[in-house]
Amino acid sequence: MAGCFREVREELGQIDGRSLLSLYFLVPRAQGEHFVECLRQDASSLRGTGLLTDPWPPYNFVGAIDDDIRSLD
């Protein structure tokens, strides 16, 4: 999936004794459909189940966005 998103963050946890991995991808709006298609192709190699929800405000990436804005100055 390299090249389909700008940044990724992950969060590990447990629910009812089961492991949970949440992945958050920062994807440019114009690349959203391409990202979903790449994810569907790669998901076949993963064990377990998944849930894709979108779009969400990029609150997990506020620091990264701030850094990008500063680099434009």
Side-chain angles (χ1 to χ4, degrees):
M1 299 223 358
C4 294
F5 56 90
R6 289 184 57 199
E7 192 172 339
V8 64
R9 303 264 170 102
E10 66 180 49
E11 182 179 319
L12 300 170
Q14 288 201 342
I15 295 179
D16 296 328
R18 296 173 56 191
S19 295
L20 174 68
L21 170 62
S22 294
L23 299 173
Y24 308 99
F25 295 91
L26 184 61
V27 179
R29 192 178 304 264
Q31 292 180 303
E33 289 182 30
H34 176 69
F35 172 80
V36 171
E37 184 58 34
C38 290
L39 185 61
R40 284 188 176 129
Q41 290 175 7
D42 284 354
S44 63
S45 65
L46 300 175
R47 292 187 354 208
T49 59
L51 174 64
L52 176 64
T53 62
D54 68 86
W56 289 92
Y59 55 85
N60 287 320
F61 301 94
V62 171
I65 292 170
D66 291 343
D67 291 343
D68 287 348
I69 291 170
R70 280 190 218 104
S71 70
L72 296 175
D73 293 336

